[in-house]
Amino acid sequence: MDKPEAQTFEVVVQDPEGRSDRDTFTVTITNVNDLPPALAGPSVVNMTESNTAIDRVVATIMASDPDNLGALTFQTSPGRFQTVRLNSTHAQVVARIALDFEQQEFYSLSILASDTGSFTGSVTTLTMRVNLLPIDDEPTTL
């Protein structure tokens, strides 16, 4: 079972001489936050802008909690990017540095979504590659 539910049982016990006793008891099953969040977003992002500004939005990601227990949190690794929470299920991946094709052609990062589950491992990871595509930023001479 994966939802709270209570069931009542009546037990009757009878001995060989015919004497009996009955009792009723209730068993309640409580939901446990044991499922990690689901995380969706692009695995590859192609950016055509060179020399992008700090705080440039790279992608939007979405997470959901199959248990519907606990608040979702987002984080990125390594520290060149950060997540900005938009609401309870969406976040944006934002560049914390200026992205420049001439310095680095792509970045690899991991986005983690976790909930406040009581079990370790309530974390889901999405790996993303951010490709910076070259643009012709040299002035044209006539």
Side-chain angles (χ1 to χ4, degrees), residues 3-29:
K3 62 180 182 175
E5 192 171 308
Q7 291 191 350
T8 302
F9 299 92
E10 181 179 49
V11 177
V12 178
V13 179
Q14 187 171 6
D15 69 11
E17 279 104 35
R19 294 178 293 219
S20 65
D21 192 13
R22 69 181 64 224
D23 199 0
T24 303
F25 63 96
T26 302
V27 175
T28 303
I29 299 172

Side-chain angles (χ1 to χ4, degrees), residues 17-91:
E17 279 104 35
R19 294 178 293 219
S20 65
D21 192 13
R22 69 181 64 224
D23 199 0
T24 303
F25 63 96
T26 302
V27 175
T28 303
I29 299 172
T30 17
N31 199 359
V32 175
N33 194 359
D34 58 347
L35 298 175
L39 183 58
S43 58
V44 176
V45 174
N46 292 317
M47 297 182 64
T48 56
E49 300 87 0
S50 186
N51 301 318
T52 61
I54 295 173
D55 294 335
R56 165 77 159 82
V57 175
V58 174
T60 300
I61 54 171
M62 185 182 86
S64 61
D65 183 4
D67 297 314
N68 290 322
L69 297 171
L72 293 170
T73 59
F74 300 93
Q75 69 182 65
T76 58
S77 170
R80 293 183 178 117
F81 297 88
Q82 69 181 15
T83 53
V84 176
R85 186 183 171 118
L86 298 176
N87 57 39
S88 62
T89 60
H90 289 77

